[in-house]
Amino acid sequence: MPFRWNPELQSQDITPESWFRERRRLLQGAAVVGAGVLLGVEPFGEVTAKSEPLSDVRPGVVTLDEAQTPFKDATGYCNFYELGSGKEDPSRHGGKLVTDPWSVLIDGEVARPGSVSLEELLKPHPLEERVYRMRCVEAWSMVIPWVGFPLGDLLKRFEPTPKARYVAFETLHDPKQLPGQSRNVLQWPYREGLRLDEAMHPLTILAVGMYGQRLPNQNGAPLRLVVPWKYGFKGIKSIVRITLTEQQPVTSWNLQAPEEYGFFANVNPEVPHPRWEQSSERRLGEFRRRETLPFNGYAAQVASLYAGMDLARYF
Ligand code: MTE
């Protein structure tokens, strides 16, 4: 089983060698992309990822030993409709998004609501690197080394009230920085949501980086959600507001096309999208298709959250 839990790790296990590993990985990534071009795999757009290394990152307590998606693919082939609807648009048009200073409002059913700067928000949260499988609804997949911390740790600090049952997330709404918001592709701002138990699950993280660096704008800088057992659209980018709610929140794709995109969006090879199969996927940078696994391979960790639920109805 390539998936490994390592609850033994302590904060003193912070590894400077991770930088060494990172360099090696990036070099390997570059080699794979080079080979891909020779083999005729589509080269992706210009990548506007400035390199801002993150320090004091400890190895994740949860991680995966699988070949990682080349950095250039993960940062050059993106979905971020506020930056355009083509896969290469976000890497080209992310330059206007100002991510420093940044603050996040945490409100709703919490005892201590408030707006906090990103630095304040990060202070008590040691950063971990966690390599996760990701599966997009459009049938491509990736393996990404995220850097972040468990969302549950943050929520606990704001003291959810007994009424809190869901968590709603919102992306920045500012068409000057996110020009796609001048077009009615979706109802802006982009919104997502989780049930509180999903949000508190230790696999659910808020990411501030990937591949050992701060998140590039196209991947959702400075703060995005990562829920590895769900389709990629749940991974809302550039979050400015987190609201705990009693009722299930409205989510962007569910609002747009409710028969195509459910609230839960758990990866499920047995439930096809109305317009395509969901039983297989193609890793970015590879030709052959792979079988899609229930809950994206994380069933042992999360299937119990949905015990007794009809997953075809609650898709
Ligand atoms: N977040 C915002 N704000 N806007 C978006 O358009 N797209 C979603 C999700 N988060 C999106 C978003 C979709 S459809 C996917 S598949 C993932 O981001 C893609 O993340 P990636 O580009 O980092 O791979």
Side-chain angles (χ1 to χ4, degrees):
M1 189 73 183
F3 192 83
R4 112 181 160 246
W5 288 89
N6 188 355
E8 308 294 291
L9 287 172
Q10 307 283 314
S11 54
Q12 62 266 30
D13 292 324
I14 293 167
T15 48
E17 312 91 80
S18 66
W19 300 117
F20 173 71
R21 280 195 289 122
E22 180 50 27
R23 259 201 48 181
R24 206 180 51 196
R25 206 183 287 151
L26 288 174
L27 291 172
Q28 280 167 352
V32 173
V33 171
V37 172
L38 285 177
L39 291 167
V41 177
E42 67 275 24
F44 301 125
E46 185 197 334
V47 179
T48 57
K50 30 181 195 339
S51 160
E52 288 182 70
L54 281 159
S55 50
D56 295 343
V57 178
R58 59 164 133 165
V61 291
V62 187
T63 199
L64 187 75
D65 293 328
E66 258 181 49
Q68 291 173 19
T69 299
F71 175 81
K72 193 165 189 281
D73 295 355
T75 57
Y77 191 81
C78 297
N79 270 338
F80 196 165
Y81 284 79
E82 292 90 327
L83 296 173
S85 47
K87 305 298 177 211
E88 297 175 10
D89 289 341
S91 64
R92 291 196 183 121
H93 306 308
K96 286 194 188 130
L97 175 62
V98 179
T99 59
D100 184 16
W102 192 270
S103 61
V104 181
L105 174 64
I106 301 185
D107 65 353
E109 291 297 339
V110 284
R112 294 152 27 80
S115 183
V116 281
S117 70
L118 189 72
E119 296 93 79
E120 272 179 283
L121 200 92
L122 288 178
K123 257 182 215 155
H125 300 297
L127 294 178
E128 285 176 46
E129 182 184 71
R130 297 178 170 203
V131 183
Y132 278 171
R133 280 188 207 104
M134 306 303 295
R135 167 67 156 85
C136 188
V137 80
E138 289 151 292
W140 81 80
S141 64
M142 299 181 269
V143 174
I144 301 204
W146 297 108
V147 177
F149 59 89
L151 169 65
D153 290 356
L154 175 78
L155 297 181
K156 277 183 219 146
R157 249 174 82 198
F158 289 81
E159 299 173 20
T161 72
K163 281 190 183 163
R165 292 181 54 224
Y166 294 90
V167 185
F169 304 85
E170 267 181 40
T171 292
L172 174 72
H173 191 191
D174 181 353
K176 286 201 194 83
Q177 298 185 55
L178 297 170
Q181 288 176 339
S182 323
R183 303 176 63 198
N184 293 331
V185 190
L186 288 171
Q187 291 182 42
W188 310 113
Y190 195 96
R191 277 170 282 176
E192 257 310 331
L194 294 172
R195 227 171 43 190
L196 187 62
D197 58 341
E198 299 176 320
M200 301 304 284
H201 192 279
L203 282 181
T204 303
I205 57 170
L206 284 175
V208 294
M210 61 198 294
Y211 300 86
Q213 319 183 4
R214 286 201 175 273
L215 284 176
N217 287 359
Q218 62 266 34
N219 294 95
L223 185 74
R224 72 170 289 168
L225 182 67
V226 175
V227 194
W229 72 94
K230 293 182 180 278
Y231 291 114
F233 67 87
K234 298 298 285 184
I236 181 170
K237 299 177 169 181
S238 307
I239 298 167
V240 290
R241 186 173 184 184
I242 301 177
T243 309
L244 282 86
T245 63
E246 207 175 341
Q247 305 298 329
Q248 182 175 303
V250 165
T251 59
S252 289
W253 285 105
N254 184 241
L255 189 66
Q256 182 76 7
E259 61 298 333
E260 299 190 20
Y261 306 104
F263 174 80
F264 285 94
N266 294 320
V267 173
N268 190 342
E270 284 169 24
V271 176
H273 183 277
R275 292 183 281 129
W276 54 77
E277 278 299 313
Q278 304 259 67
S279 57
S280 72
E281 64 198 59
R282 191 176 74 84
R283 282 276 154 86
L284 285 188
E286 291 181 3
F287 280 121
R288 73 189 166 95
R289 295 186 76 81
R290 300 165 175 255
E291 226 183 289
T292 291
L293 301 170
F295 298 102
N296 204 22
Y298 297 95
Q301 289 78 27
V302 301
S304 61
L305 296 177
Y306 310 99
M309 255 173 80
D310 176 353
L311 297 177
R313 178 163 174 220
Y314 297 102
F315 60 94

